[in-house]
Amino acid sequence: MNADQARAAVLDALSRIAPEVDVSGLDPEVDLREQADLDSMDVLSLVAQVSDATGVPVDEDDYDQFDTLARAVGFLVRRGGAVER
Amino acid sequence: MPDFRMPSLGADMEVGSVLEWLVQPGDVVHHGDVVAVVDTAKAAVEVEVFSDGVVDELLVPVGQTVPVGTLLATLRPVDSTVPAGPPREPERPPDAGVPVRSPLVRHLAHQRGVDLAAVPATGPRGVVTRVDVEGAAAPRTRDGTRSSPYARRRAAQLDVDLRSVTGTGRGGAIRATDVEQAAGRAEERPAAVDQVATAAGAPATGDRRTAARQAIAALMTRSKREVPHYYLTQTIDLAQATDWLHEHNRDREVSQRVLPAALLVRAVALACRTHPSLNGFWRDDRFDPADDVHVGSAVALRGGGLVTPALLHADRLSVAQTMAALRSLVERSRAGRLRLRELTDGTITVTNLGERGAESVLGVVFPPQVALVGFGRVAERPWAVDGLLGVRPLVTASLAADHRATDGHVGSTFLAEVDRLLQDPDAMDRTGT
């Protein structure tokens, strides 16, 4: 998985969970929960949907990798590479 | 013969309209079957019928707004000799072993050619609901996408081409909210408008927002005018609970993992059993204890507004079941598919500010209930344990209660019981069902 695919997976899930948010306008370095007004249930849904879509397993300890778009993409690319091989 | 009337969702509801009829004249219905979707200022609600019978006539067409109490449909007894058309109950289908909510659901599945065994169940205790069957059976549009009847109607109203809509329902089925979202995109509404969520996922019109706000305003004003509140708080150490959750979640799929909110709600539900004087209603100058424990859970709608649907029989659910029920309530609240009972039958309410919330909340009781339990954000703080200072995850639990029904002593023992329960999550899980 490359960065574009990872970003698309996160934004796709996010646009379902927070349909009112303009995902193209998100700052990749700023806390996603703040930008998209996500509560813990939303974060769980986000992780579940991204994990389903990409096949990348996400442990509970890895949830904070999803605090910004940039970190989430980096995480998915790192782990996704390992999954594909 | 009991008839089917426009229900009231509370003192603040005066009118409603039928969004969708789920039965036709001649259909056999049973107590608890969902027969219509009703639109109110607060939310679109699935309404159940409370008697058995055969639907005789639908008196109010879809879209017409009528006062609460208006006769919507007439029923006649099942054994009535009035010809009911072709026999409605199919012979026992091969999927008889699958738990199904009602014969109506089974009938619907048969009618639409849906194999019940293959339908993912979302109902309580793994029961297949009408929505599940519809999701599996939703007819396809010309290009093969699935959509619900309501979604198709919304698409017509909003002039949206279904082929341009991305479905987020089961199996990619298009739901009404998807249509509305697509309509919002097409019109390129300013972000500020789209950010104001509405209870039913209906278009974010000023009227609807105003009505929803007014409903909250009326209830809260009534509470503050009529209910003499008292408030108590208790700091609770969640180290045991947090460890238990971590262990529970370790080897589970993301979708099976449990959030702290489920443990908190579970603790409140169990404490209601031992403190029945906080679980019920103040009516006609006296306390009327509830027979069951239905824990209302405050759900913030995206962009503003609030609904408090109830987890029915929350005291009988395991922790995992509590989590599943909470998740379902949040999803359905935002999609505008709550059940009437869920909006009317709460016996106590919990508000949980969550991980980005403030430290504590002193709530406003939802009349005629007599208690509201609040939880602030769980945070790591210094805490003395056995004479030593350590860092523990703590939460401030609060109780706002109606002083007419109880006194501070009862409230104190209630919060102490919630605390005690949260120190032994295993026991809380075992006492489920």
Side-chain angles (χ1 to χ4, degrees):
Chain A
M1 180 169 17
N2 62 37
D4 286 341
Q5 291 165 328
R7 186 175 295 106
V10 176
L11 294 185
D12 189 43
L14 201 57
S15 61
R16 274 196 294 270
I17 293 162
E20 77 284 4
V21 172
D22 173 16
V23 293
S24 63
L26 292 174
D27 184 331
E29 305 293 342
V30 174
D31 195 320
L32 265 185
R33 295 171 305 173
E34 303 288 344
Q35 290 190 89
D37 192 22
L38 304 180
D39 62 20
S40 47
M41 195 79 84
D42 295 327
V43 171
L44 195 65
S45 301
L46 177 70
V47 170
Q49 289 186 24
V50 170
S51 180
D52 271 359
T54 60
V56 176
V58 184
D59 293 336
E60 205 175 21
D61 294 335
D62 296 327
Y63 286 180
D64 51 8
Q65 300 285 335
F66 284 75
D67 61 354
T68 68
L69 184 57
R71 281 189 80 191
V73 169
F75 170 80
L76 291 169
V77 169
R78 273 197 315 280
R79 291 291 173 87
V83 168
E84 278 166 21
R85 302 290 158 248
Chain B
M1 189 63 210
D3 294 310
F4 180 61
R5 292 175 183 276
M6 176 59 71
S8 170
L9 291 174
D12 47 333
M13 173 175 163
E14 287 167 4
V15 296
S17 61
V18 176
L19 277 179
E20 185 174 353
W21 279 112
L22 304 172
V23 292
Q24 294 300 321
D27 283 353
V28 175
V29 294
H30 297 283
H31 178 98
D33 284 345
V34 175
V35 295
V37 180
V38 164
D39 200 21
T40 76
K42 276 184 185 165
V45 178
E46 298 189 339
V47 183
E48 297 147 288
V49 69
F50 290 102
S51 48
D52 296 350
V54 177
V55 178
D56 209 16
E57 195 181 353
L58 306 181
L59 299 170
V60 173
V62 165
Q64 186 181 329
T65 300
V66 296
V68 165
T70 302
L71 194 59
L72 297 178
T74 51
L75 305 177
R76 62 171 187 267
V78 180
D79 57 356
S80 161
T81 52
V82 181
R88 284 302 195 159
E89 288 301 302
E91 67 282 11
R92 208 143 175 79
D95 47 52
V98 181
V100 173
R101 176 166 173 76
S102 70
L104 190 69
V105 170
R106 195 181 289 283
H107 172 63
L108 182 70
H110 185 73
Q111 213 175 27
R112 304 262 176 105
V114 172
D115 177 9
L116 281 170
V119 177
T122 63
R125 290 179 288 280
V127 161
V128 175
T129 66
R130 184 193 57 75
V131 175
D132 300 335
V133 173
E134 295 223 311
R140 290 162 184 277
T141 52
R142 273 158 294 170
D143 70 332
T145 50
R146 293 157 179 268
S147 57
S148 76
Y150 181 39
R152 289 195 295 279
R153 194 152 57 243
R154 290 299 296 162
Q157 284 164 357
L158 297 171
D159 199 21
V160 169
D161 183 351
L162 279 177
R163 286 168 297 187
S164 68
V165 178
T166 308
T168 62
R170 202 182 307 287
I174 297 169
R175 302 183 306 166
T177 47
D178 302 328
V179 173
E180 282 150 5
Q181 204 190 322
R185 275 213 202 94
E187 289 166 27
E188 286 184 0
R189 273 197 296 242
V193 173
D194 271 2
Q195 271 170 9
V196 181
T198 61
T205 64
D207 280 357
R208 181 153 203 125
R209 283 202 307 279
T210 306
R213 202 64 239 168
Q214 283 169 347
I216 297 173
L219 194 65
M220 294 298 100
T221 303
R222 177 182 157 200
S223 178
K224 280 291 186 175
R225 193 173 52 224
E226 294 177 5
V227 179
H229 286 68
Y230 71 87
Y231 304 96
L232 303 169
T233 62
Q234 166 113 348
T235 302
I236 297 177
D237 182 349
L238 288 183
Q240 298 290 342
T242 307
D243 288 350
W244 187 91
L245 283 175
H246 206 65
E247 194 61 35
H248 178 92
N249 290 341
R250 179 169 295 156
D251 297 318
R252 284 183 165 79
E253 291 287 313
V254 185
S255 60
Q256 303 296 317
R257 291 178 196 162
V258 173
L259 291 170
L263 277 182
L264 300 176
V265 166
R266 175 96 191 108
V268 168
L270 286 176
C272 283
R273 280 188 182 171
T274 51
H275 291 75
S277 58
L278 288 165
N279 183 60
F281 314 99
W282 185 263
R283 286 179 183 138
D284 303 327
D285 287 332
R286 56 180 282 275
F287 177 67
D288 184 9
D291 295 331
D292 300 305
V293 178
H294 305 313
V295 178
S297 180
V299 177
L301 299 171
R302 301 202 59 82
L306 180 74
V307 284
T308 55
L311 267 81
L312 302 178
H313 299 290
D315 59 329
R316 298 191 206 156
L317 305 177
S318 69
V319 171
Q321 288 168 332
T322 303
M323 180 65 198
L326 266 181
R327 183 203 292 270
S328 165
L329 274 191
V330 171
E331 285 172 1
R332 289 184 296 113
S333 295
R334 291 180 179 161
R337 300 298 288 208
L338 292 168
R339 289 289 176 79
L340 177 64
R341 283 195 65 199
E342 291 170 335
L343 282 176
T344 55
D345 285 11
T347 58
I348 186 170
T349 298
V350 171
T351 181
N352 182 10
L353 298 185
E355 59 182 1
R356 289 192 301 125
E359 278 175 31
S360 69
V361 51
L362 303 175
V364 179
V365 170
F366 278 65
Q369 293 173 20
V370 299
L372 181 139
V373 183
F375 293 101
R377 167 170 39 96
V378 179
E380 298 213 320
R381 299 193 189 281
W383 187 246
V385 181
D386 298 333
L388 288 174
L389 199 58
V391 174
R392 315 278 279 197
L394 304 181
V395 71
T396 303
S398 71
L399 174 72
D402 187 336
H403 216 327
R404 296 173 300 185
T406 58
D407 304 318
H409 176 69
V410 167
S412 289
T413 61
F414 177 85
L415 284 181
E417 176 68 2
V418 171
D419 188 346
R420 193 192 64 76
L421 288 161
L422 285 167
Q423 304 314 314
D424 193 358
D426 260 335
M428 276 205 288
D429 203 27
R430 278 197 305 272
T431 45
T433 61

